[in-house]
Amino acid sequence: MGEFDLIETFFKRPARHATLGVGDDCALLPVRAGQQLAISSDMLVEGRHFLSTVNPRWLGYKALAVNLSDLAACGAEPKAFMLALALPEVNAAWLSEFSKGLWDLADVHQCDLIGGDTTRGPLNICITVLGEVPAHLALLRSGAKAGDDIYVSGTLGDARLALEVFRGRLSVPQEVFEQARLRMERPTPRVALGQALRGVASAAADISDGLLGDLQHILKASGVGADIDTPRVASTLAAQSHFNLPLATQLQLSLAGGDDYELVFTAPESKRADIAALSVSLQTPLTRIGQINASQQLRLLDAQGHVVVNDFQSFDHFKTD
Ligand code: ADP
Ligand code: MG
């Protein structure tokens, strides 16, 4: 099978939003009046972000999920995506499963695959997503103000727990592992939440490298500091309700685990009722984990309000461990 047959067979489907999809030199995407395009890319490299043994359907799903998570973090509505793919060989069975995983999630969000590039090389998947957000309503990292509450969505740390079990560094009962593995392989991008937070949240980011690292991006961009109630963060670890992990492990996983694809956001106290209502309507836990202050420092507090030493390392591809 050649390059064009491959694209035709696995990656060409009628477009819903695009004027022109796969097959020409460029795709054409209309943007509605009053809206801005939100654009983001994320690359997944074999050996770095996933193992060669991963189920290709889940890999396709996750490659799009991590990108949609970025659109969610800025409050954008997904419209389309581009797929740049390097493949060591044409393996039709693998491609069929991989593309199914992509379509599974693309269909949930009505997101069109409108083009890309395909080449031979070490397995590498780069997706660029395009979404719409009303002008001036995008959620940015730079809007947090002293006094704002800090929230996280969903559960934190379970994906990392699964990774540590895979690496043989942690052991947990099989059913706890299976749940955690779902969080690692099939993360849920918080697309509806991101859009619902327009005009509610003062700043937002998605949690891909670990809560503390991603929160730091908000603090830096906003020129503020924060106090974090660490037991509240640890309480979001889903595995915790089935299996008693040591507190230090709970904290390491939930504060700095990474691969969560949840949102961390800030909002003024006056929005507490709105946020509680959103949590119910979207059936998504939203946990208040602390408060923004003017100190420019990130302080971690224990249950008694004492400062916890912050030696939690978020994920950084260029740091050696
Ligand atoms: P060009 O020669 O202009 O780079 P290509 O031959 O690479 O174009 O691609 C032909 C068409 O197929 C283009 O519309 C391109 O966007 C699309 N395409 C290529 N690879 C992919 C892919 N992996 N997924 C979706 N569309 C693709
Ligand atoms: Mg090309």
Side-chain angles (χ1 to χ4, degrees), residues 218-266:
I218 291 181
L219 301 183
K220 195 164 171 228
S222 302
V224 293
D227 283 333
I228 298 297
D229 182 346
T230 59
R232 285 269 201 130
V233 178
S235 76
T236 71
L237 182 74
Q240 185 51 29
S241 53
H242 310 287
F243 181 66
N244 212 12
L245 289 158
L247 181 65
T249 308
Q250 293 174 41
L251 289 174
Q252 175 64 42
L253 292 173
S254 58
L255 288 166
D259 239 13
D260 299 300
Y261 303 102
E262 296 291 350
L263 299 184
V264 51
F265 61 95
T266 61

mmCIF file of all heavy atoms in Angstrom, residues 218-266:
data_model
loop_
_atom_site.group_PDB
_atom_site.id
_atom_site.type_symbol
_atom_site.label_atom_id
_atom_site.label_comp_id
_atom_site.label_asym_id
_atom_site.label_seq_id
_atom_site.Cartn_x
_atom_site.Cartn_y
_atom_site.Cartn_z
ATOM 1 N N ILE A 218 0.709 29.179 35.500
ATOM 2 C CA ILE A 218 -0.329 30.190 35.768
ATOM 3 C C ILE A 218 0.239 31.273 36.695
ATOM 4 O O ILE A 218 0.067 32.477 36.454
ATOM 5 C CB ILE A 218 -1.582 29.543 36.405
ATOM 6 C CG1 ILE A 218 -2.303 28.655 35.380
ATOM 7 C CG2 ILE A 218 -2.528 30.605 36.967
ATOM 8 C CD1 ILE A 218 -3.572 27.995 35.900
ATOM 9 N N LEU A 219 0.938 30.850 37.750
ATOM 10 C CA LEU A 219 1.463 31.812 38.730
ATOM 11 C C LEU A 219 2.452 32.764 38.057
ATOM 12 O O LEU A 219 2.410 33.975 38.265
ATOM 13 C CB LEU A 219 2.141 31.076 39.895
ATOM 14 C CG LEU A 219 1.252 30.104 40.670
ATOM 15 C CD1 LEU A 219 2.023 29.503 41.847
ATOM 16 C CD2 LEU A 219 -0.029 30.786 41.170
ATOM 17 N N LYS A 220 3.312 32.188 37.229
ATOM 18 C CA LYS A 220 4.329 33.006 36.574
ATOM 19 C C LYS A 220 3.678 33.997 35.601
ATOM 20 O O LYS A 220 3.990 35.187 35.606
ATOM 21 C CB LYS A 220 5.302 32.084 35.834
ATOM 22 C CG LYS A 220 6.559 32.765 35.434
ATOM 23 C CD LYS A 220 7.649 31.773 35.064
ATOM 24 C CE LYS A 220 8.804 32.565 34.459
ATOM 25 N NZ LYS A 220 9.298 31.992 33.222
ATOM 26 N N ALA A 221 2.753 33.463 34.791
ATOM 27 C CA ALA A 221 2.120 34.329 33.786
ATOM 28 C C ALA A 221 1.281 35.416 34.451
ATOM 29 O O ALA A 221 1.107 36.506 33.893
ATOM 30 C CB ALA A 221 1.248 33.483 32.846
ATOM 31 N N SER A 222 0.749 35.129 35.641
ATOM 32 C CA SER A 222 -0.122 36.088 36.323
ATOM 33 C C SER A 222 0.637 36.960 37.317
ATOM 34 O O SER A 222 0.052 37.899 37.878
ATOM 35 C CB SER A 222 -1.241 35.346 37.068
ATOM 36 O OG SER A 222 -2.006 34.551 36.187
ATOM 37 N N GLY A 223 1.893 36.616 37.620
ATOM 38 C CA GLY A 223 2.682 37.381 38.578
ATOM 39 C C GLY A 223 2.150 37.280 39.991
ATOM 40 O O GLY A 223 2.117 38.266 40.730
ATOM 41 N N VAL A 224 1.705 36.079 40.387
ATOM 42 C CA VAL A 224 1.126 35.876 41.721
ATOM 43 C C VAL A 224 1.709 34.613 42.354
ATOM 44 O O VAL A 224 2.492 33.904 41.730
ATOM 45 C CB VAL A 224 -0.423 35.740 41.645
ATOM 46 C CG1 VAL A 224 -1.074 37.046 41.216
ATOM 47 C CG2 VAL A 224 -0.804 34.591 40.712
ATOM 48 N N GLY A 225 1.310 34.354 43.606
ATOM 49 C CA GLY A 225 1.705 33.134 44.309
ATOM 50 C C GLY A 225 0.466 32.364 44.726
ATOM 51 O O GLY A 225 -0.653 32.756 44.388
ATOM 52 N N ALA A 226 0.674 31.252 45.462
ATOM 53 C CA ALA A 226 -0.480 30.449 45.862
ATOM 54 C C ALA A 226 -0.181 29.665 47.130
ATOM 55 O O ALA A 226 0.973 29.316 47.397
ATOM 56 C CB ALA A 226 -0.851 29.471 44.748
ATOM 57 N N ASP A 227 -1.239 29.413 47.901
ATOM 58 C CA ASP A 227 -1.189 28.458 49.010
ATOM 59 C C ASP A 227 -2.013 27.255 48.592
ATOM 60 O O ASP A 227 -3.175 27.405 48.182
ATOM 61 C CB ASP A 227 -1.810 29.056 50.281
ATOM 62 C CG ASP A 227 -0.862 30.037 50.956
ATOM 63 O OD1 ASP A 227 0.369 29.886 50.788
ATOM 64 O OD2 ASP A 227 -1.355 30.956 51.630
ATOM 65 N N ILE A 228 -1.420 26.069 48.686
ATOM 66 C CA ILE A 228 -2.113 24.854 48.267
ATOM 67 C C ILE A 228 -2.335 23.944 49.466
ATOM 68 O O ILE A 228 -1.409 23.660 50.227
ATOM 69 C CB ILE A 228 -1.283 24.094 47.190
ATOM 70 C CG1 ILE A 228 -1.114 24.954 45.944
ATOM 71 C CG2 ILE A 228 -1.937 22.760 46.833
ATOM 72 C CD1 ILE A 228 -2.394 25.298 45.219
ATOM 73 N N ASP A 229 -3.569 23.505 49.620
ATOM 74 C CA ASP A 229 -3.970 22.583 50.682
ATOM 75 C C ASP A 229 -3.668 21.170 50.160
ATOM 76 O O ASP A 229 -4.480 20.576 49.436
ATOM 77 C CB ASP A 229 -5.477 22.811 50.909
ATOM 78 C CG ASP A 229 -6.047 21.968 52.024
ATOM 79 O OD1 ASP A 229 -5.376 21.022 52.461
ATOM 80 O OD2 ASP A 229 -7.185 22.262 52.426
ATOM 81 N N THR A 230 -2.491 20.636 50.496
ATOM 82 C CA THR A 230 -2.061 19.376 49.864
ATOM 83 C C THR A 230 -2.967 18.179 50.162
ATOM 84 O O THR A 230 -3.170 17.353 49.262
ATOM 85 C CB THR A 230 -0.583 19.033 50.194
ATOM 86 O OG1 THR A 230 -0.450 18.927 51.605
ATOM 87 C CG2 THR A 230 0.363 20.079 49.643
ATOM 88 N N PRO A 231 -3.555 18.048 51.385
ATOM 89 C CA PRO A 231 -4.461 16.906 51.583
ATOM 90 C C PRO A 231 -5.672 16.953 50.635
ATOM 91 O O PRO A 231 -6.163 15.908 50.195
ATOM 92 C CB PRO A 231 -4.915 17.050 53.043
ATOM 93 C CG PRO A 231 -3.866 17.878 53.698
ATOM 94 C CD PRO A 231 -3.349 18.800 52.645
ATOM 95 N N ARG A 232 -6.120 18.178 50.297
ATOM 96 C CA ARG A 232 -7.225 18.296 49.341
ATOM 97 C C ARG A 232 -6.825 17.772 47.970
ATOM 98 O O ARG A 232 -7.621 17.135 47.270
ATOM 99 C CB ARG A 232 -7.625 19.768 49.168
ATOM 100 C CG ARG A 232 -8.392 20.294 50.326
ATOM 101 C CD ARG A 232 -9.885 20.100 50.081
ATOM 102 N NE ARG A 232 -10.595 21.032 50.926
ATOM 103 C CZ ARG A 232 -11.544 21.839 50.502
ATOM 104 N NH1 ARG A 232 -11.910 21.820 49.240
ATOM 105 N NH2 ARG A 232 -12.122 22.649 51.319
ATOM 106 N N VAL A 233 -5.615 18.064 47.572
ATOM 107 C CA VAL A 233 -5.127 17.578 46.271
ATOM 108 C C VAL A 233 -5.054 16.055 46.310
ATOM 109 O O VAL A 233 -5.551 15.372 45.409
ATOM 110 C CB VAL A 233 -3.753 18.185 45.916
ATOM 111 C CG1 VAL A 233 -3.253 17.612 44.594
ATOM 112 C CG2 VAL A 233 -3.831 19.701 45.848
ATOM 113 N N ALA A 234 -4.455 15.521 47.385
ATOM 114 C CA ALA A 234 -4.307 14.057 47.492
ATOM 115 C C ALA A 234 -5.670 13.367 47.498
ATOM 116 O O ALA A 234 -5.805 12.241 46.992
ATOM 117 C CB ALA A 234 -3.521 13.701 48.746
ATOM 118 N N SER A 235 -6.689 14.052 48.019
ATOM 119 C CA SER A 235 -8.022 13.437 48.095
ATOM 120 C C SER A 235 -8.630 13.195 46.710
ATOM 121 O O SER A 235 -9.588 12.444 46.568
ATOM 122 C CB SER A 235 -8.971 14.316 48.917
ATOM 123 O OG SER A 235 -9.389 15.435 48.151
ATOM 124 N N THR A 236 -8.060 13.821 45.673
ATOM 125 C CA THR A 236 -8.618 13.607 44.328
ATOM 126 C C THR A 236 -8.079 12.331 43.674
ATOM 127 O O THR A 236 -8.563 11.933 42.617
ATOM 128 C CB THR A 236 -8.298 14.790 43.378
ATOM 129 O OG1 THR A 236 -6.906 14.772 43.057
ATOM 130 C CG2 THR A 236 -8.679 16.129 43.983
ATOM 131 N N LEU A 237 -7.060 11.716 44.261
ATOM 132 C CA LEU A 237 -6.495 10.470 43.694
ATOM 133 C C LEU A 237 -7.554 9.365 43.804
ATOM 134 O O LEU A 237 -7.891 8.942 44.904
ATOM 135 C CB LEU A 237 -5.239 10.101 44.487
ATOM 136 C CG LEU A 237 -4.448 8.885 44.061
ATOM 137 C CD1 LEU A 237 -3.651 9.158 42.793
ATOM 138 C CD2 LEU A 237 -3.495 8.468 45.178
ATOM 139 N N ALA A 238 -8.066 8.904 42.689
ATOM 140 C CA ALA A 238 -9.178 7.936 42.738
ATOM 141 C C ALA A 238 -8.760 6.625 43.393
ATOM 142 O O ALA A 238 -9.526 6.028 44.145
ATOM 143 C CB ALA A 238 -9.720 7.683 41.333
ATOM 144 N N ALA A 239 -7.533 6.194 43.112
ATOM 145 C CA ALA A 239 -7.062 4.906 43.643
ATOM 146 C C ALA A 239 -7.137 4.885 45.164
ATOM 147 O O ALA A 239 -7.298 3.822 45.779
ATOM 148 C CB ALA A 239 -5.629 4.643 43.193
ATOM 149 N N GLN A 240 -7.005 6.060 45.764
ATOM 150 C CA GLN A 240 -6.977 6.182 47.208
ATOM 151 C C GLN A 240 -8.240 5.626 47.876
ATOM 152 O O GLN A 240 -8.180 5.117 48.980
ATOM 153 C CB GLN A 240 -6.788 7.671 47.543
ATOM 154 C CG GLN A 240 -6.625 7.988 48.980
ATOM 155 C CD GLN A 240 -5.558 7.136 49.639
ATOM 156 O OE1 GLN A 240 -4.602 6.710 49.001
ATOM 157 N NE2 GLN A 240 -5.746 6.855 50.918
ATOM 158 N N SER A 241 -9.372 5.739 47.191
ATOM 159 C CA SER A 241 -10.609 5.273 47.827
ATOM 160 C C SER A 241 -10.721 3.744 47.836
ATOM 161 O O SER A 241 -11.565 3.179 48.505
ATOM 162 C CB SER A 241 -11.829 5.897 47.151
ATOM 163 O OG SER A 241 -11.765 5.673 45.782
ATOM 164 N N HIS A 242 -9.845 3.058 47.077
ATOM 165 C CA HIS A 242 -9.906 1.592 47.038
ATOM 166 C C HIS A 242 -8.731 0.941 47.747
ATOM 167 O O HIS A 242 -8.727 -0.250 47.998
ATOM 168 C CB HIS A 242 -9.887 1.090 45.589
ATOM 169 C CG HIS A 242 -10.877 1.767 44.726
ATOM 170 N ND1 HIS A 242 -12.224 1.521 44.824
ATOM 171 C CD2 HIS A 242 -10.738 2.703 43.760
ATOM 172 C CE1 HIS A 242 -12.856 2.282 43.948
ATOM 173 N NE2 HIS A 242 -11.984 2.998 43.296
ATOM 174 N N PHE A 243 -7.701 1.724 47.986
ATOM 175 C CA PHE A 243 -6.453 1.113 48.442
ATOM 176 C C PHE A 243 -5.671 2.159 49.212
ATOM 177 O O PHE A 243 -5.547 3.289 48.752
ATOM 178 C CB PHE A 243 -5.653 0.661 47.215
ATOM 179 C CG PHE A 243 -4.357 0.004 47.541
ATOM 180 C CD1 PHE A 243 -4.338 -1.219 48.199
ATOM 181 C CD2 PHE A 243 -3.152 0.595 47.182
ATOM 182 C CE1 PHE A 243 -3.129 -1.837 48.491
ATOM 183 C CE2 PHE A 243 -1.946 -0.019 47.470
ATOM 184 C CZ PHE A 243 -1.936 -1.241 48.126
ATOM 185 N N ASN A 244 -5.157 1.789 50.357
ATOM 186 C CA ASN A 244 -4.499 2.778 51.205
ATOM 187 C C ASN A 244 -3.029 2.970 50.844
ATOM 188 O O ASN A 244 -2.190 2.171 51.212
ATOM 189 C CB ASN A 244 -4.669 2.351 52.664
ATOM 190 C CG ASN A 244 -4.757 3.556 53.567
ATOM 191 O OD1 ASN A 244 -4.915 4.681 53.087
ATOM 192 N ND2 ASN A 244 -4.625 3.325 54.848
ATOM 193 N N LEU A 245 -2.736 4.024 50.131
ATOM 194 C CA LEU A 245 -1.351 4.334 49.779
ATOM 195 C C LEU A 245 -0.751 5.239 50.854
ATOM 196 O O LEU A 245 -1.473 6.057 51.429
ATOM 197 C CB LEU A 245 -1.308 5.075 48.443
ATOM 198 C CG LEU A 245 -1.631 4.266 47.201
ATOM 199 C CD1 LEU A 245 -2.081 5.191 46.077
ATOM 200 C CD2 LEU A 245 -0.431 3.445 46.761
ATOM 201 N N PRO A 246 0.554 5.146 51.114
ATOM 202 C CA PRO A 246 1.178 6.070 52.079
ATOM 203 C C PRO A 246 0.969 7.521 51.639
ATOM 204 O O PRO A 246 0.942 7.802 50.428
ATOM 205 C CB PRO A 246 2.663 5.699 52.016
ATOM 206 C CG PRO A 246 2.744 4.386 51.326
ATOM 207 C CD PRO A 246 1.512 4.229 50.500
ATOM 208 N N LEU A 247 0.836 8.431 52.608
ATOM 209 C CA LEU A 247 0.561 9.834 52.287
ATOM 210 C C LEU A 247 1.609 10.421 51.336
ATOM 211 O O LEU A 247 1.269 11.147 50.396
ATOM 212 C CB LEU A 247 0.479 10.667 53.579
ATOM 213 C CG LEU A 247 0.163 12.145 53.349
ATOM 214 C CD1 LEU A 247 -1.239 12.322 52.753
ATOM 215 C CD2 LEU A 247 0.286 12.945 54.651
ATOM 216 N N ALA A 248 2.884 10.077 51.574
ATOM 217 C CA ALA A 248 3.948 10.643 50.717
ATOM 218 C C ALA A 248 3.733 10.230 49.260
ATOM 219 O O ALA A 248 3.942 11.023 48.339
ATOM 220 C CB ALA A 248 5.315 10.168 51.199
ATOM 221 N N THR A 249 3.285 8.989 49.044
ATOM 222 C CA THR A 249 3.033 8.505 47.678
ATOM 223 C C THR A 249 1.814 9.213 47.088
ATOM 224 O O THR A 249 1.833 9.645 45.935
ATOM 225 C CB THR A 249 2.799 6.976 47.693
ATOM 226 O OG1 THR A 249 3.870 6.358 48.393
ATOM 227 C CG2 THR A 249 2.699 6.422 46.291
ATOM 228 N N GLN A 250 0.769 9.355 47.892
ATOM 229 C CA GLN A 250 -0.423 10.070 47.416
ATOM 230 C C GLN A 250 -0.063 11.474 46.957
ATOM 231 O O GLN A 250 -0.535 11.950 45.928
ATOM 232 C CB GLN A 250 -1.448 10.231 48.537
ATOM 233 C CG GLN A 250 -2.098 8.973 49.035
ATOM 234 C CD GLN A 250 -2.975 9.315 50.246
ATOM 235 O OE1 GLN A 250 -3.671 10.324 50.275
ATOM 236 N NE2 GLN A 250 -2.937 8.465 51.246
ATOM 237 N N LEU A 251 0.774 12.136 47.763
ATOM 238 C CA LEU A 251 1.138 13.525 47.438
ATOM 239 C C LEU A 251 1.991 13.576 46.181
ATOM 240 O O LEU A 251 1.747 14.386 45.288
ATOM 241 C CB LEU A 251 1.881 14.166 48.612
ATOM 242 C CG LEU A 251 1.013 14.456 49.841
ATOM 243 C CD1 LEU A 251 1.876 14.956 50.998
ATOM 244 C CD2 LEU A 251 -0.068 15.483 49.521
ATOM 245 N N GLN A 252 2.987 12.696 46.095
ATOM 246 C CA GLN A 252 3.858 12.698 44.923
ATOM 247 C C GLN A 252 3.026 12.467 43.646
ATOM 248 O O GLN A 252 3.180 13.169 42.649
ATOM 249 C CB GLN A 252 4.939 11.612 45.071
ATOM 250 C CG GLN A 252 5.837 11.432 43.868
ATOM 251 C CD GLN A 252 6.689 12.675 43.563
ATOM 252 O OE1 GLN A 252 7.220 13.302 44.459
ATOM 253 N NE2 GLN A 252 6.793 13.019 42.285
ATOM 254 N N LEU A 253 2.123 11.496 43.696
ATOM 255 C CA LEU A 253 1.330 11.164 42.503
ATOM 256 C C LEU A 253 0.391 12.298 42.118
ATOM 257 O O LEU A 253 0.279 12.666 40.948
ATOM 258 C CB LEU A 253 0.513 9.890 42.751
ATOM 259 C CG LEU A 253 1.300 8.585 42.903
ATOM 260 C CD1 LEU A 253 0.371 7.453 43.320
ATOM 261 C CD2 LEU A 253 2.022 8.237 41.607
ATOM 262 N N SER A 254 -0.316 12.858 43.099
ATOM 263 C CA SER A 254 -1.353 13.836 42.762
ATOM 264 C C SER A 254 -0.774 15.221 42.498
ATOM 265 O O SER A 254 -1.290 15.965 41.662
ATOM 266 C CB SER A 254 -2.409 13.902 43.861
ATOM 267 O OG SER A 254 -1.811 14.240 45.103
ATOM 268 N N LEU A 255 0.323 15.576 43.178
ATOM 269 C CA LEU A 255 0.886 16.923 42.994
ATOM 270 C C LEU A 255 1.781 17.003 41.765
ATOM 271 O O LEU A 255 1.907 18.057 41.156
ATOM 272 C CB LEU A 255 1.719 17.325 44.220
ATOM 273 C CG LEU A 255 0.943 17.646 45.491
ATOM 274 C CD1 LEU A 255 1.889 17.686 46.692
ATOM 275 C CD2 LEU A 255 0.210 18.974 45.367
ATOM 276 N N ALA A 256 2.422 15.891 41.430
ATOM 277 C CA ALA A 256 3.441 15.980 40.377
ATOM 278 C C ALA A 256 3.436 14.783 39.429
ATOM 279 O O ALA A 256 4.398 14.556 38.714
ATOM 280 C CB ALA A 256 4.815 16.126 41.019
ATOM 281 N N GLY A 257 2.339 14.023 39.412
ATOM 282 C CA GLY A 257 2.324 12.786 38.629
ATOM 283 C C GLY A 257 2.408 13.004 37.132
ATOM 284 O O GLY A 257 3.244 12.453 36.434
ATOM 285 N N GLY A 258 1.529 13.854 36.621
ATOM 286 C CA GLY A 258 1.519 14.112 35.177
ATOM 287 C C GLY A 258 0.605 13.180 34.415
ATOM 288 O O GLY A 258 0.129 12.170 34.949
ATOM 289 N N ASP A 259 0.322 13.551 33.145
ATOM 290 C CA ASP A 259 -0.525 12.751 32.257
ATOM 291 C C ASP A 259 -1.991 12.710 32.714
ATOM 292 O O ASP A 259 -2.727 11.799 32.357
ATOM 293 C CB ASP A 259 0.008 11.313 32.156
ATOM 294 C CG ASP A 259 0.355 10.941 30.719
ATOM 295 O OD1 ASP A 259 0.426 11.842 29.861
ATOM 296 O OD2 ASP A 259 0.527 9.739 30.451
ATOM 297 N N ASP A 260 -2.421 13.701 33.490
ATOM 298 C CA ASP A 260 -3.792 13.696 34.023
ATOM 299 C C ASP A 260 -4.815 14.247 33.017
ATOM 300 O O ASP A 260 -5.953 13.804 32.976
ATOM 301 C CB ASP A 260 -3.870 14.546 35.297
ATOM 302 C CG ASP A 260 -2.965 14.018 36.391
ATOM 303 O OD1 ASP A 260 -3.164 12.863 36.802
ATOM 304 O OD2 ASP A 260 -2.055 14.751 36.824
ATOM 305 N N TYR A 261 -4.422 15.268 32.274
ATOM 306 C CA TYR A 261 -5.323 15.943 31.318
ATOM 307 C C TYR A 261 -6.593 16.440 31.991
ATOM 308 O O TYR A 261 -7.681 16.391 31.432
ATOM 309 C CB TYR A 261 -5.553 15.093 30.058
ATOM 310 C CG TYR A 261 -4.214 14.799 29.457
ATOM 311 C CD1 TYR A 261 -3.598 13.572 29.615
ATOM 312 C CD2 TYR A 261 -3.487 15.823 28.850
ATOM 313 C CE1 TYR A 261 -2.303 13.350 29.171
ATOM 314 C CE2 TYR A 261 -2.190 15.616 28.403
ATOM 315 C CZ TYR A 261 -1.615 14.382 28.565
ATOM 316 O OH TYR A 261 -0.340 14.180 28.133
ATOM 317 N N GLU A 262 -6.430 16.897 33.223
ATOM 318 C CA GLU A 262 -7.484 17.636 33.911
ATOM 319 C C GLU A 262 -7.186 19.124 33.744
ATOM 320 O O GLU A 262 -6.160 19.494 33.178
ATOM 321 C CB GLU A 262 -7.501 17.261 35.399
ATOM 322 C CG GLU A 262 -7.852 15.803 35.673
ATOM 323 C CD GLU A 262 -9.311 15.460 35.346
ATOM 324 O OE1 GLU A 262 -10.109 16.389 35.083
ATOM 325 O OE2 GLU A 262 -9.648 14.268 35.337
ATOM 326 N N LEU A 263 -8.106 19.970 34.230
ATOM 327 C CA LEU A 263 -7.857 21.408 34.206
ATOM 328 C C LEU A 263 -7.543 21.910 35.603
ATOM 329 O O LEU A 263 -8.140 21.448 36.583
ATOM 330 C CB LEU A 263 -9.090 22.167 33.670
ATOM 331 C CG LEU A 263 -9.531 21.832 32.249
ATOM 332 C CD1 LEU A 263 -10.689 22.735 31.827
ATOM 333 C CD2 LEU A 263 -8.377 21.968 31.253
ATOM 334 N N VAL A 264 -6.594 22.843 35.700
ATOM 335 C CA VAL A 264 -6.394 23.621 36.926
ATOM 336 C C VAL A 264 -6.826 25.037 36.567
ATOM 337 O O VAL A 264 -6.454 25.548 35.511
ATOM 338 C CB VAL A 264 -4.929 23.546 37.434
ATOM 339 C CG1 VAL A 264 -3.899 23.877 36.374
ATOM 340 C CG2 VAL A 264 -4.744 24.464 38.656
ATOM 341 N N PHE A 265 -7.674 25.632 37.411
ATOM 342 C CA PHE A 265 -8.146 26.981 37.079
ATOM 343 C C PHE A 265 -8.363 27.805 38.337
ATOM 344 O O PHE A 265 -8.464 27.269 39.442
ATOM 345 C CB PHE A 265 -9.404 26.937 36.210
ATOM 346 C CG PHE A 265 -10.608 26.261 36.837
ATOM 347 C CD1 PHE A 265 -11.575 27.015 37.499
ATOM 348 C CD2 PHE A 265 -10.783 24.887 36.764
ATOM 349 C CE1 PHE A 265 -12.691 26.404 38.076
ATOM 350 C CE2 PHE A 265 -11.886 24.268 37.341
ATOM 351 C CZ PHE A 265 -12.841 25.023 37.995
ATOM 352 N N THR A 266 -8.413 29.104 38.138
ATOM 353 C CA THR A 266 -8.645 30.022 39.248
ATOM 354 C C THR A 266 -9.932 30.787 38.978
ATOM 355 O O THR A 266 -10.344 30.952 37.823
ATOM 356 C CB THR A 266 -7.483 31.027 39.380
ATOM 357 O OG1 THR A 266 -7.390 31.787 38.173
ATOM 358 C CG2 THR A 266 -6.157 30.311 39.617
#
